[in-house]
Amino acid sequence: MLPNTGKLAGCTLFITGASRGIGKAIALKAAKDGANIVIAAKTAEPHPTLPGTIYTAAEEIEAAGGKALPCIVNVREEQQIINAVEKAVKTFGGIDILVNNASAISLTGTLETATKKVNLMMDVNVRGTYLTSKACLPYLRKGKNPHILNLSPPMNLNPMWFKNHCAYTISKYGMSMCVLGMAEEFRGEVAVNALWPKTAIHTAAMDMLGGAGIEKQCRKTDILADAAYCILTKPKTYTGNFIIDEVLLREEGVKDFDVYAIAPGHPLMPDFFLDVEIGTTAVKQEGYGAAQEEKKVSRSQQEGADAAKVKTESAVAMPAGPVAETFRVIQEAVTEEYMRRTQGIFQFELSGDGGGTWYIDLKTKGGSAGFGKPPVTADVVMSMSSADFVKMFTGKLKPTLAFMTGRLKIEGNMALAIKLEKMLSQLNSKL
C-alpha cells in the first residue's frame, strides 16, 4: 500500500460517481490527508441492489479525516454539474482536482445495444466528462497544483476491443480523447491524465457483469486509489499520460501487490483494452485470432482430428476431433445433481475445426449433449472458436476471461452462463 504524505491537505477534489466503488476509494484516500471532497453522484436514496449513497459516502469521508460536500449530480444534466461546481466553490473556496470517474457500461454488440443504452454511455462517459471538465476548468486554473484525472484507458486500436461492444469502446475512448486534447490545450496550467487498471477491479458493476465468484479474479479498489493519489500529488507538469495502475506503483517502489488482491495468489483477470503481456503471454498470442493458437491436444484427440479430415469429404459427416471428444466426455459426466443445480439448455455456435452447432441439455429429463440443435429452445447461446471451446472445457481458459476479452459472445440468460462456469470447474478433472 502507498502511504499518505499529507500533500492533499486542504485541497478540494470534485469526484463524479464518488458514492461507491473506485470514486469513493479515491475520495477516502485523499480524505486521510484532510482534503475536501465534493461527492458528485446520483444516488441520494438507498438503491435496491447497489451499496451506498452520497450521504453514507460523506460520513465515511468525514470519519477518514476529510470534509465532505454531497451533491446530487447526474452528469447527463449540465445544470446539475454547474450547480454542484458553484456550491463547491462557495463552500471550499475553489476546486483543485477533478476526477472524472462516473461511467456507464453495456457489453453488447451493435445490433443488441438499445438506442437508450447508446445514449446513456455517450452522455455519461464522453459528454459528462467533457462538460464536468469544462465547468471546473475556470476554477482549476486558479487552483494549487491543479489536476484532471479521467478513469479511462489507453486508446488501443486493436479491433478486438471494438467488435463485441463498439458503443462502449467509443464512449471510453471519448474520455481518453478528452485527456489527449485538454492536456495539450491547458499545458502549463492544468495537468490532465488518464488512469486505468491492469486487472479487473472488484466493484458492484463487476459483480453484475461477472456474477458470483468473479471477485477472486479481481483486485480491490485500493490499487486505483493509491495510483490516483500518486498522480494527483505530482506537479502539474506531469500531464498527457495514460497510466496503468500497477506499472506506476511499481515505478514508485511498491513490491507487494498481494495486498491489493481479493484472493491473494488467485489468477487475475486482465482488464479491457489492454493487450496482456503480464506473464500471461497465452492471452496475448491468442487475442489476435486462430493463426497463433497452440495446437496441444492429446493423442486420442489428434487421432480424432485426423479422422475428421477424412470424414469431411462427406457433407453429412458428424464432426470429430477435440470438440466431439469434449462433448462425449460431457455426455458421460452429466448427472442428476448437475441438472438439478443448473436447469438450463446451452447451445454453442463454434467456428473452425469441428465447429457447427452443438448443445448441452441440463434441463430435459436424463440430460444430453451432442452435435446439432438442442431438443428444445436454448436458454443461452454461446459463440466462440472451437479451439477456445476446448480450452474452456479443459480448464485452460476461464469463461469470464473469454467473455471479457471478446472471445466468447453470450446471448440469453447470463445467470445460467455463470452457472455453467461453476459446473466447468467441477468437470475439469474429467476432461
Side-chain angles (χ1 to χ4, degrees):
M1 292 282 190
L2 199 71
N4 279 60
T5 59
K7 288 182 180 179
L8 296 183
C11 289
T12 297
L13 288 78
F14 190 103
I15 307 177
T16 65
S19 60
R20 64 179 67 92
I22 294 163
K24 188 178 80 170
I26 294 171
L28 289 171
K29 181 75 176 177
K32 289 176 184 174
D33 272 7
N36 308 316
I37 312 291
V38 183
I39 306 157
K42 286 193 308 179
T43 313
E45 299 294 327
H47 191 278
T49 55
L50 298 173
T53 68
I54 56 174
Y55 305 112
T56 58
E59 289 169 7
E60 291 182 58
I61 287 162
E62 300 269 356
K67 291 180 181 174
L69 177 65
C71 296
I72 300 171
V73 178
N74 178 350
V75 295
R76 300 178 83 179
E77 303 294 336
E78 185 179 15
Q79 196 55 51
Q80 288 185 22
I81 298 169
I82 293 166
N83 292 346
V85 168
E86 289 175 353
K87 193 173 179 183
V89 173
K90 187 176 179 182
T91 305
F92 297 125
I95 297 172
D96 302 293
I97 291 166
L98 165 63
V99 179
N100 284 307
N101 165 71
S103 201
I105 183 169
S106 180
L107 299 177
T108 45
T110 301
L111 298 178
E112 293 78 41
T113 311
T115 302
K116 67 177 183 179
K117 282 284 187 187
V118 177
N119 291 342
L120 175 68
M121 289 188 281
M122 300 303 168
D123 285 355
V124 173
N125 302 358
V126 191
R127 185 174 178 272
T129 293
Y130 184 90
L131 292 179
T132 308
S133 301
K134 182 183 176 185
C136 289
L137 271 162
Y139 303 102
L140 288 167
R141 293 169 96 174
K142 302 173 191 173
K144 49 180 181 180
N145 197 36
H147 278 260
I148 293 175
L149 181 63
N150 292 356
L151 272 293
S152 66
M155 285 180 287
N156 182 347
L157 298 184
N158 179 346
M160 71 174 279
W161 297 117
F162 290 84
K163 70 174 185 176
N164 291 303
H165 37 73
C166 190
Y168 175 64
T169 300
I170 291 168
S171 70
K172 289 307 288 188
Y173 285 9
M175 293 176 73
S176 300
M177 292 172 86
C178 286
V179 171
L180 204 61
M182 292 179 192
E184 202 58 38
E185 186 177 358
F186 298 98
R187 186 175 293 277
E189 293 185 279
V190 180
V192 187
N193 295 290
L195 173 62
W196 195 246
K198 191 166 193 176
T199 71
I201 302 295
H202 185 228
T203 61
M206 184 54 71
D207 276 338
M208 286 191 292
L209 288 171
I214 191 73
E215 68 278 358
K216 290 179 182 177
Q217 300 173 54
C218 300
R219 282 177 171 157
K220 302 170 189 171
T221 52
D222 297 347
I223 191 168
L224 282 172
D226 281 2
Y229 182 86
C230 183
I231 295 162
L232 300 174
T233 52
K234 288 183 181 291
K236 64 184 178 184
T237 50
Y238 183 80
T239 191
N241 301 291
F242 292 85
I243 301 139
I244 304 301
D245 56 359
E246 184 184 317
V247 176
L248 174 66
L249 291 173
R250 283 194 188 279
E251 288 171 359
E252 295 294 319
V254 175
K255 292 183 172 63
D256 180 13
F257 285 86
D258 275 352
V259 295
Y260 297 118
I262 299 285
H266 197 283
L268 294 165
M269 178 164 44
D271 206 358
F272 292 102
F273 310 119
L274 303 179
D275 292 339
V276 185
E277 78 300 327
I278 359 157
T280 50
T281 49
V283 178
K284 187 174 184 181
Q285 289 165 353
E286 293 159 13
Y288 291 93
Q292 300 178 62
E293 294 287 356
E294 295 177 39
K295 305 291 185 184
K296 295 179 181 176
V297 292
S298 68
R299 180 176 292 178
S300 64
Q301 289 173 329
Q302 187 60 57
E303 287 166 357
D306 292 339
K309 287 176 187 173
V310 176
K311 287 185 180 180
T312 48
E313 292 175 11
S314 164
V316 295
M318 177 174 164
V323 173
E325 174 68 9
T326 302
F327 273 99
R328 185 189 64 74
V329 175
I330 292 168
Q331 171 75 62
E332 290 175 0
V334 168
T335 65
E336 290 297 327
E337 179 62 15
Y338 282 144
M339 293 186 63
R340 186 184 62 77
R341 285 205 306 254
T342 311
Q343 281 297 293
I345 297 176
F346 304 85
Q347 182 171 321
F348 299 88
E349 296 296 338
L350 305 180
S351 59
D353 292 344
T357 300
W358 297 78
Y359 75 94
I360 302 173
D361 180 355
L362 296 174
K363 186 188 280 186
T364 309
K365 186 171 175 59
S368 59
F371 184 63
K373 290 198 171 183
V376 293
T377 306
D379 300 299
V380 188
V381 179
M382 298 181 170
S383 305
M384 62 195 312
S385 74
S386 299
D388 280 342
F389 171 84
V390 173
K391 285 179 183 171
M392 194 168 83
F393 273 81
T394 52
K396 294 173 185 170
L397 175 64
K398 282 268 187 186
T400 310
L401 176 59
F403 178 70
M404 293 276 288
T405 54
R407 293 154 70 183
L408 166 62
K409 188 173 181 181
I410 300 173
E411 295 174 42
N413 189 327
M414 186 66 78
L416 274 175
I418 293 160
K419 278 189 180 181
L420 184 66
E421 178 163 7
K422 288 181 182 174
M423 189 189 85
L424 286 185
S425 63
Q426 297 166 328
L427 269 179
N428 285 341
S429 60
K430 301 177 184 179
L431 289 163

